[in-house]
């Protein structure tokens, strides 16, 4: 009788552990962390920049004198972000480096520094 109770308790605990382990997001590479958060920044020239992700898409919005919105299929390596823009049909490639709660995006010698939004 005691063995049967231990077996049932073991099955219940194992089921609980397996069901909860599927809910944890893990960060194995820089690209994983980049995708998990929304990143944003405001700059002296008045521009506001937001970088965010959904399942397979990336979205980069620059609001200012000359607004730019890039969104579409996104590919990430450990140091390159590539967005295939749905609207223009163009590909936009950015280098990136993560530094804890900030990311530096670089393209054509320009660098944008964005901070991690904690709301995700």
């Amino acid at each position: 009788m005691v063995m049967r109770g231990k077996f049932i308790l073991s099955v219940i605990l194992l089921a609980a552990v397996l069901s909860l382990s599927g809910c944890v997001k893990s960060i194995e590479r820089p690209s994983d962390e980049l995708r998990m958060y929304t990143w944003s920044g405001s700059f002296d020239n008045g521009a506001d920049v937001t970088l965010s992700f959904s399942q397979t898409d990336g979205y980069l919005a620059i609001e200012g004198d000359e607004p730019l919105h890039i969104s579409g299929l996104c590919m990430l390596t450990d140091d390159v972000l590539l967005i295939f823009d749905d609207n223009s049909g163009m590909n936009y490639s950015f280098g990136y480096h993560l530094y804890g709660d900030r990311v530096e995006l670089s393209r054509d010698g320009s660098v944008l520094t964005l901070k991690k939004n904690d709301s995700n």
Side-chain angles (χ1 to χ4, degrees), residues 12-81:
I12 291 171
L13 288 174
L14 180 62
V17 168
L18 290 175
S19 68
L20 292 175
S21 66
C23 298
V24 177
K25 293 182 179 181
S26 65
I27 299 174
E28 296 177 13
R29 300 184 330 235
S31 60
D32 297 334
E33 183 172 4
L34 189 65
R35 278 189 177 274
M36 285 176 64
Y37 296 96
T38 296
W39 305 82
S40 61
S42 295
F43 300 93
D44 293 339
N45 66 359
D48 293 319
V49 179
T50 303
L51 174 65
S52 60
F53 301 90
S54 65
Q55 295 292 333
T56 58
D57 291 350
Y59 179 73
L60 178 69
I62 302 174
E63 303 293 343
D65 293 338
E66 297 179 32
L68 175 64
H69 295 218
I70 303 168
S71 65
L73 184 62
C74 177
M75 291 179 49
L76 286 164
T77 67
D78 288 343
D79 59 357
V80 174
L81 161 65

Side-chain angles (χ1 to χ4, degrees), residues 79 93-97 104-112:
D79 59 357
S93 177
F94 302 89
Y96 75 88
H97 294 284
E104 289 183 349
L105 294 180
S106 59
R107 179 177 166 95
D108 299 331
S110 297
V111 176
L112 291 174

